[in-house]
Amino acid sequence: MEEGIAALAVVEPAFARIRALTGPWPLRRRDGGFGALAFAIVGQQVSVASAAAVWGRVSAAGLDDAARMAAATGDDLWACGLTRPKQGYLKAIAVSGFDYAALEHMEDEAVLARLCELPGIGRWSAEIYAAFALGRADVLAAGDLAMQEAARMLFGLPARPKEAELRALAAPWSPWRGVAARGLWAYYQHVRSREGML
């Protein structure tokens, strides 16, 4: 992480300012496999707080395990707060026999393409998995709204950049875009917490 931050600061000094403001950026690594992908699905299109609450119930029920998810009833999943579409995605992936270990040896884009073949997995979910479960240092979930807002604030942009705009902005940050993502999330949290205390 520190190697990436140092390299980013040379290309974009704003990252050195973020590091000084926020302190160390959390790595946020997770073990790979069904549980990590389920975690990404739970986090789709909801706030961090909502995702954490639902995920807490999912993991407490043992449904972060593919076999237990496959055997779960609709009532089990409703009790966790999972919407019907997310229930369908999780059940389908749980019985898919997906080879998570094979991802370890693939290039980033191949990983993302393979994950996006699964039901309910789009680019954002695939990038979240690649970044946190596989530790890919150059994967940036540019569709993430918090990251887009952090970029708007950090660079004084007139509007929150859309996904394609953020990807273009981040191109010079390669091969450390995954580290940059952690910095943007840390900056977002720093600014929002500060604003919340005013």
Side-chain angles (χ1 to χ4, degrees):
M1 183 71 78
E2 293 302 322
E3 178 186 358
I5 294 169
L8 286 167
V10 172
V11 176
E12 176 48 74
F15 286 109
R17 296 198 303 273
I18 293 176
R19 178 65 174 77
L21 279 173
T22 64
W25 301 344
L27 190 56
R28 299 172 66 178
R29 282 297 304 272
R30 306 181 65 84
D31 290 336
F34 175 78
L37 198 56
F39 178 79
I41 290 172
V42 167
Q44 292 172 351
Q45 299 180 330
V46 296
S47 70
V48 171
S50 294
V54 172
W55 183 250
R57 293 190 290 273
V58 168
S59 57
L63 300 177
D64 50 355
D65 173 78
R68 293 188 70 172
M69 175 60 73
T73 66
D75 287 343
D76 295 332
L77 302 179
W78 273 116
C80 293
L82 290 165
T83 63
R84 194 168 302 280
K86 289 183 181 181
Q87 291 179 32
Y89 301 149
L90 291 167
K91 296 279 278 184
I93 293 170
V95 300
S96 70
F98 187 78
D99 185 359
Y100 295 94
L103 300 176
E104 296 281 348
H105 310 291
M106 294 180 181
E107 296 293 327
D108 291 346
E109 285 301 322
V111 166
L112 300 176
R114 180 68 186 91
L115 286 167
C116 287
E117 292 172 2
L118 292 168
I121 301 298
R123 181 83 182 192
W124 179 87
S125 300
E127 287 170 332
I128 292 296
Y129 185 92
F132 298 137
L134 299 176
R136 299 301 176 97
D138 200 32
V139 171
L140 178 100
D144 188 85
L145 295 182
M147 193 183 309
Q148 292 171 357
E149 180 62 11
R152 183 196 67 76
M153 294 185 292
L154 181 64
F155 297 110
L157 303 175
R160 190 168 63 208
K162 294 186 173 18
E163 181 174 351
E165 294 167 333
L166 183 53
R167 288 196 193 286
L169 178 67
W173 307 342
S174 184
W176 297 107
R177 288 174 290 190
V179 176
R182 287 162 171 84
L184 290 171
W185 279 317
Y187 181 66
Y188 179 86
Q189 180 61 40
H190 172 81
V191 172
R192 288 303 181 211
S193 295
R194 188 184 65 203
E195 287 181 352
M197 296 173 69
L198 294 178

